[in-house]
Amino acid sequence: MTKKSAGIILYRLTNKILEVLIVHPGGPFWAKKDLGAWSIPKGEFDDDENPLDAAIREFEEEMGEQVSGDFITMTPVKQNSGKIVYAFALEHDFDTSKIRSNTFTIEWPPKSGKQQEFPEIDKGEWFDFVISKQKLNETQAAIVDELAKKLNLVEERLKSRIAENKKPNKPSQLDLF
């Protein structure tokens, strides 16, 4: 049976720049990993649970806050592990200093016989489009691409350039999506 996860990617527009909230996984395996290691807040769910309901539940478990609103359904993505990730975007500002993640317990160090508890996520941060795509797991970066397209961010910038009678010049970092 294929594993499935559901999560929420919060976004905000700061000075017309798309920023998304992503999280870094907790625990010793991820402690020194950065680029390509981050994720949207998400978790697994069963066939009998609606993906959006699961995403809302997982967000509250991992972030410590319940969110609601007009969610944008993203196209599910398949990670290299075979897991399918169902993502939902929501425009919502979130204070990352208030993250209260649930925990998990593993034997650490390995073969020590000692059990240690770690947070599922050790931090969450807001990143712009370009940085978030570098930080995110490669498959999940496609979610940010789709979000930018659904929000018509590229088209709006080009329209404003035309309206200003400017010829589009070399693309900026913002145009690379």
Side-chain angles (χ1 to χ4, degrees):
M1 185 168 138
T2 303
K3 289 187 175 187
K4 301 180 297 185
S5 283
I8 295 173
I9 183 165
L10 296 184
Y11 72 92
R12 65 185 182 190
L13 297 173
T14 304
N15 297 323
K16 298 183 182 179
I17 295 174
L18 174 64
E19 294 181 327
V20 294
L21 177 64
I22 58 177
V23 297
H24 187 268
F29 177 75
W30 298 102
K32 295 182 181 178
K33 293 178 174 48
D34 187 43
L35 297 181
W38 293 64
S39 175
I40 67 170
K42 63 176 180 43
E44 292 186 1
F45 70 100
D46 296 321
D47 288 335
D48 61 344
E49 188 174 15
N50 173 292
L52 178 56
D53 293 340
I56 292 169
R57 174 183 49 77
E58 285 293 333
F59 188 90
E60 185 173 11
E61 287 177 8
E62 293 194 356
M63 305 295 282
E65 181 180 313
Q66 189 172 27
V67 292
S68 62
D70 295 325
F71 292 94
I72 301 170
T73 302
M74 310 306 287
T75 304
V77 294
K78 186 175 185 177
Q79 296 189 154
N80 293 338
S81 66
K83 181 187 285 186
I84 307 292
V85 176
Y86 295 80
F88 302 88
L90 178 66
E91 186 172 14
H92 181 80
D93 204 359
F94 181 88
D95 180 354
T96 58
S97 71
K98 295 184 178 180
I99 291 174
R100 294 181 319 277
S101 177
N102 53 351
T103 60
F104 66 95
T105 303
I106 60 169
E107 180 182 9
W108 192 259
K111 300 180 183 176
S112 68
K114 296 179 183 179
Q115 297 291 309
Q116 288 195 40
E117 196 171 88
F118 298 95
E120 277 198 35
I121 61 167
D122 58 17
K123 62 185 165 186
E125 293 185 37
W126 289 97
F127 294 105
D128 68 24
F129 174 84
V130 173
I131 302 298
S132 68
K133 288 186 48 139
Q134 294 169 354
K135 300 263 186 187
L136 275 168
N137 142 335
E138 182 180 347
T139 307
Q140 291 180 34
I143 296 167
V144 178
D145 285 331
E146 182 181 2
L147 177 59
K149 288 176 186 169
K150 284 190 173 193
L151 296 175
N152 295 316
L153 295 178
V154 174
E155 292 80 3
E156 290 305 314
R157 272 197 303 285
L158 292 176
K159 286 178 192 173
S160 75
R161 281 187 188 160
I162 292 167
E164 293 171 4
N165 239 352
K166 289 185 178 178
K167 190 168 109 180
N169 51 10
K170 289 183 181 178
S172 72
Q173 284 186 334
L174 299 174
D175 295 323
L176 298 177
F177 56 90

